[in-house]
Amino acid sequence: ALPEVDEEELERRRRIDPYRGVWVFVEQNDGEPARVSWELMGSGRQLADSLDVELFAVIIGSNVGHLAQEAFCYGADCAYVLDQPVFARYRTEPYLEAMCYLVDKYKPEVVLMGATGMGRDLAGAVATRVKTGLTADCTGLGIDDKRNLMQTRPAFGGNIMATIMCDKFRPQMATVRPHVMPLPERNPAATGLVLPEGFDISEAAIFSRVLEVITDKSGKDRVDVAGAEFIVSGGRGLMAKENFAILEELAGELGAVVGGSRSAVDAGWLPPDRQVGQTGKTVRPKIYIACGISGAIQHLVGMQDSDVIIAINRDPEAPIFEVATFGIVGDLFDVVPALTMRIREL
Ligand code: FAD
């Protein structure tokens, strides 16, 4: 006798089977792509290979045709390009309509976006409209043996890493923060298939208008911890704001940026945009020097993918040593100035 038919399972298959392909939404501003889109292209490539499907770049904007070639260089096989003046500046409504049009028409299995202001806004709106799940701020992505996207992210205040799956609905949607995934190598000789889409939406159908764009002028002076190649970070062990001067000195020698733990930021020793960790920035520098930082899980999730981690802590049991490439057990007020002096001598 044939095994009994599980109606629920049949229904699930009917619903999800038409969906194929991995999509990466290519975020851009004035035709300038966001780096996170190419980082996601690297993850998308791996997912597409595991699923044995094609990787698509979704490019929405005005005068953005050149981004298709760039997407191929970072691993895309094909690019849907929606190039219309109405998409010139990001607004939720036209981008939402465009994405939903594409999802309904082509049924992707996986959709990835950067966890940026734009990506967070758009991903949530699309997931709600197409009635599927969305996992925000993923730190790891993989595929299980049933073609489900395994979306790993910190949960319960970072105390556990949860793997979340959306096995009943498609597409499976995830956002990933900038710098969480490595930038794949760019292959300038790569080619792909451009798929222009004629979708249009009239300005009259959109409620929002961009009246003025004000650029943040402090931007050029602002320190970018997330993009830094070298970071010297301080925690509660620094004891006071003025003590960060010794970290600034070391950073000056290395051409590094000074960051810190949440404790340091909460104490007012550093501005909030320097915070590294779950509720701060995710960093991936070549060298991360952690001074007087214990290594709480919420801090580790933001920096553990750094190439080299040097930890300075007087407590040999501090959890930071578990992720450190090199550990120095000692008083940071002795070690840091000695290190600065030694580098100066080189
Ligand atoms: P502590 O844990 O107090 O560690 C200080 C360390 O300095 C100790 O290990 C001590 O041995 C060492 N030390 C002291 N004096 C010296 C000395 N003279 N020389 C050498 N070593 C010395 N934290 C973040 O960092 N980033 C986040 O984004 C973040 N998000 C959070 C989100 C949530 C929801 C929650 C609940 C917490 C979050 N936290 C975050 C806080 C986190 O749990 C820790 O409390 C915090 O990271 C601890 O900071 P710290 O390591 O500087 O301080």
Side-chain angles (χ1 to χ4, degrees), residues 101-120:
Y101 160 83
L102 290 173
V103 169
D104 282 347
K105 189 166 168 188
Y106 297 109
K107 306 202 179 326
E109 209 164 354
V110 171
V111 177
L112 306 178
M113 294 192 196
T116 57
M118 187 191 297
R120 287 185 167 142

Side-chain angles (χ1 to χ4, degrees), residues 76-245:
D77 300 303
C78 311
Y80 292 119
V81 181
L82 278 75
D83 200 326
Q84 306 273 353
V86 73
F87 300 126
R89 290 252 165 236
Y90 176 75
R91 285 176 292 171
T92 312
E93 302 152 279
Y95 274 65
L96 169 64
E97 296 302 332
M99 276 304 288
C100 292
Y101 160 83
L102 290 173
V103 169
D104 282 347
K105 189 166 168 188
Y106 297 109
K107 306 202 179 326
E109 209 164 354
V110 171
V111 177
L112 306 178
M113 294 192 196
T116 57
M118 187 191 297
R120 287 185 167 142
D121 181 58
L122 184 60
V126 173
T128 307
R129 175 77 74 79
V130 304
K131 297 193 167 53
T132 191
L134 166 68
T135 308
D137 288 358
C138 295
T139 54
L141 298 170
I143 299 291
D144 78 355
D145 54 3
K146 287 188 169 153
R147 302 180 75 86
N148 287 315
L149 180 66
M150 296 187 292
Q151 306 158 95
T152 306
R153 57 153 295 153
F156 294 109
N159 290 310
I160 59 157
M161 295 303 281
T163 297
I164 297 166
M165 291 195 286
C166 173
D167 67 341
K168 291 196 172 60
F169 300 96
R170 295 289 184 269
Q172 305 168 89
M173 295 187 61
T175 63
V176 177
R177 285 207 222 174
H179 303 288
V180 168
M181 303 293 178
L183 189 67
E185 207 167 305
R186 184 179 180 279
N187 172 12
T191 55
L193 188 64
V194 179
L195 305 161
E197 273 294 329
F199 176 81
D200 201 2
I201 177 168
S202 83
E203 197 57 54
I206 304 166
F207 294 116
S208 55
R209 297 276 176 278
V210 178
L211 300 180
E212 192 186 357
V213 177
I214 303 166
T215 8
D216 182 357
K217 297 222 174 50
S218 67
K220 59 177 172 7
D221 303 324
R222 194 183 293 148
V223 175
D224 176 21
V225 180
E229 288 201 335
F230 302 98
I231 299 174
V232 178
S233 243
R236 210 196 306 263
L238 265 292
M239 311 289 284
K241 188 173 183 168
E242 23 330 334
N243 294 336
F244 272 78

Side-chain angles (χ1 to χ4, degrees), residues 21 66 69 153 157 170 205 247 346:
H66 61 286
Q69 179 50 41
R153 57 153 295 153
R170 295 289 184 269
L247 299 197
L346 291 175

Side-chain angles (χ1 to χ4, degrees), residues 236 261-263 275-279 292 294 298-299 313 332:
R236 210 196 306 263
S261 68
R262 177 155 146 184
S263 305
Q275 183 183 319
V276 172
Q278 190 191 326
T279 41
S294 59
Q298 296 90 350
H299 188 78
N313 197 305
L332 71 92

